[in-house]
Structures are given as structure tokens and as C-alpha cells.
Amino acid sequence: EIFYPGASANACCMVFNLGIPHKISDTPTFFGFYKDDGFEKRKNLGRIDKKGKWHKIEGIWLELYNKRMAKPGLSAVAKVNEVDEWLCESFMETDYSRLSEQNFKRTLQNYFAYLVSNGYNFYERLHHNKKLEIPQLDIANWKEFVVGSIFDCCTTETMIETTQGDSPYVTRSALNNGVSGFVSDGGYELNAENCITIGAEGAVAFYQSHPFVAGVKIYTLRNHNMNPLIAIFLCTVLNQESYKYSYGRARILDKIKNETIKLPAAINNRGEYQPDWQYMENYIKTLPYADLI
């Protein structure tokens, strides 16, 4: 927030030893994702250490830097050259220890809010199900998957000039399921439903249950195993990566394909790990009102 208020630019500080060449082969570079310093904005005071967090945070940051240590969500160490992206976000692992049941509930609730605001009638589907026990998230045993290896990732058919109609218009918004309104397809081919969309600058993953019209720089993730319940699980996990992106570092298609995420996994008949689609569906089924979608 060095440029606060009024600017969305992120500060990137680089430290070099003058007169010492950077040897790619034997010189790993330390990257720190040092954003949350514990300071808070207060009127007429600026940013202050109101809750006394800075001393502890400073100690952690300095230890990581001095020891050149990689820590999920905070730092990374990598060998880079002149064509690489010299940002911690490119190399840092996401801290999955912060992922909890509440994250999945929030994704489900946001999807419900979008449906209700656009006339979806839940009352016709209300019924009483036996309450299911929510299983523990055994994240330590999840496996890593490259997004492009488990999804068909594509750029959408785009329509910019729109008129009022019935088709969801998905844009780069990070709100309302990415839908900015409802428009006519205007003779353009609609994008098929049952997919996850991500907008470049919005960087948030949403599930689209109906054919939709897309704005510019909207990307889709598809897998034949996907259904609404599995998609809610996947969106929650994919959105753990959103913090790495900003207006200046958009979540474009190539970056999406190369992301590494963690998912529940099962061994297939070839002895290889694959995403455990059934577990994902069963987990979301245990959340309140999930049966309504």
C-alpha cells in the first residue's frame, strides 16, 4: 500500500550486490512475498502498528531472508534468468494449512447468493435430508496437480457489443459469480455451461451452470467429471491462488495452465494418482443446503 490511496500498483523491491555478476547456474534468488506487515490504516494517523504485530512479523521476514528459506505463502527460492518473471508469486507455494471448511461454505454461499439474486426458486426444491457429518479435510495427504493436466483450459468465444436479454454476461468481475448482467447472444455462439470461468484481472474462479456470453479475457476450465458440487470444491481450491494476481499481474491462460494446486487424490488402475472426484462431491454434499443445487 505504498501508493495508497488512489493507485492499484504493487511495489516490487529488488536488491542486488553491485559489481558481482548474477550467475544463473549457482546463484539461487530469494523472493519474499512481504505484504501483510500488521499495520492498519487510521484516520489522521496513516498506517500504524495498532495491535503490536510488527515485531513478530519482522523477525519472521528477516529470518527467511537471512537464511534464504522458502515458506508457503511467504517466500520462495529459485534460479532465474533474464526471461523469467522475477516475482515471488511465480515460484511460491500456496499455504494450504489455511484452507478450512469455512472456505468451502463461503464459495457455496456466494453461489447461492448469485442464484437467488437472479430469480432461482429454492422453495420448490426444499426437502429434509438426513444430516451428514462433515469429514475432516486431510490436506496433508492431498496431491499436487498441474491445472493444465487435469482441465481443458481455453479462451472463451467473446462478444463485446451486447443488448438486453436472458444469457449471463460473464466478465472479469470478482463479484456476482462473474456475471455483470444478462444479454442477448446477438447471433454469436454461446459458451457451453458446466465449466469454471476465470477472468484475467478479477482472478476469481466461478462455476457457470448455464450457457453464457463472455467479455474479453475470460477463460474456461472443463473436465468431463465436473458437476455443480465438484465445481464448488474446485473453485474454492483454485481461489486459494487468487492472491498471487493483481491488475498488474493478470491471471491469463498460460499462467492458469501452469498453476499447481493440491486436491484429494485416489490411485487409478494404472497405479497413478488422479483427483478424487467422488470425495470432492461427497464433501460438498455434507455442507448445509448443498442438496439445493
Side-chain angles (χ1 to χ4, degrees):
E1 297 183 317
I2 193 169
F3 298 112
Y4 180 89
S8 59
N10 291 324
C12 178
C13 306
M14 295 186 174
V15 181
F16 298 91
N17 290 318
L18 295 180
I20 301 177
H22 179 81
K23 297 180 180 179
I24 298 170
S25 60
D26 59 3
T27 310
T29 296
F30 174 82
F31 295 91
F33 191 71
Y34 290 173
K35 284 196 171 186
D36 183 8
D37 57 9
F39 283 65
E40 300 176 6
K41 293 186 290 291
R42 289 291 186 270
K43 189 174 181 180
N44 299 325
L45 297 176
R47 299 183 74 252
I48 61 173
D49 188 16
K50 179 70 174 178
K51 299 178 181 177
K53 295 181 178 180
W54 167 239
H55 180 70
K56 181 178 179 181
I57 292 173
E58 180 189 29
I60 294 172
W61 287 3
L62 287 174
E63 181 182 23
L64 293 175
Y65 171 74
N66 289 326
K67 295 182 179 179
R68 303 297 195 269
M69 295 167 57
K71 184 174 182 178
L74 271 181
S75 62
V77 178
K79 293 181 180 180
V80 293
N81 59 31
E82 71 280 1
V83 300
D84 290 320
E85 188 177 22
W86 285 40
L87 288 173
C88 191
E89 294 94 311
S90 287
F91 309 101
M92 176 178 56
E93 293 183 19
T94 294
D95 183 5
Y96 275 77
S97 67
R98 300 188 177 202
L99 186 63
S100 71
E101 174 192 327
Q102 292 303 316
N103 296 104
F104 294 95
K105 284 184 176 180
R106 192 176 304 115
T107 303
L108 188 61
Q109 290 163 359
N110 288 340
Y111 183 61
F112 279 147
Y114 159 71
L115 293 177
V116 171
S117 67
N118 291 289
Y120 187 89
N121 188 351
F122 286 107
Y123 295 105
E124 295 177 356
R125 303 188 63 179
L126 280 174
H127 53 278
H128 296 288
N129 281 350
K130 181 180 178 182
K131 186 176 181 181
L132 300 173
E133 182 179 350
I134 299 177
Q136 289 284 342
L137 288 169
D138 190 15
I139 297 173
N141 289 319
W142 290 9
K143 301 301 178 183
E144 292 185 343
F145 297 93
V146 176
V147 170
S149 71
I150 57 175
F151 294 104
D152 182 13
C153 305
C154 297
T155 302
T156 54
E157 294 289 336
T158 301
M159 185 177 81
I160 301 175
E161 296 181 4
T162 61
T163 58
Q164 189 171 1
D166 299 322
S167 299
Y169 181 41
V170 178
T171 67
R172 288 167 285 172
S173 171
L175 304 172
N176 196 40
N177 215 55
V179 175
S180 293
F182 289 81
V183 299
S184 168
D185 60 20
Y188 290 80
E189 182 179 351
L190 290 171
N191 296 279
E193 72 278 20
N194 195 35
C195 68
I196 291 171
T197 57
I198 297 177
E201 281 78 21
V204 179
F206 296 110
Y207 174 65
Q208 306 302 334
S209 58
H210 295 85
F212 61 94
V213 175
V216 296
K217 293 195 284 187
I218 302 297
Y219 312 107
T220 57
L221 280 64
R222 300 181 185 274
N223 184 291
H224 69 276
N225 294 288
M226 193 178 298
N227 62 36
L229 296 170
I230 292 174
I232 293 296
F233 192 103
L234 292 170
C235 284
T236 305
V237 173
L238 286 164
N239 287 336
Q240 300 306 299
E241 304 295 316
S242 298
Y243 74 102
K244 296 180 179 179
Y245 300 96
S246 63
Y247 188 82
R249 185 177 189 264
R251 200 174 187 179
I252 58 176
L253 187 60
D254 284 344
K255 284 187 169 61
I256 293 171
K257 287 181 177 180
N258 290 314
E259 286 178 5
T260 298
I261 60 174
K262 288 186 178 181
L263 292 171
I267 297 178
N268 60 24
N269 54 17
R270 299 188 299 274
E272 303 167 340
Y273 281 108
Q274 65 180 21
D276 192 340
W277 308 108
Q278 192 60 57
Y279 173 89
M280 297 182 215
E281 179 174 339
N282 291 342
Y283 182 84
I284 298 300
K285 279 182 179 178
T286 65
L287 301 182
Y289 309 112
D291 57 307
L292 297 180
I293 63 170

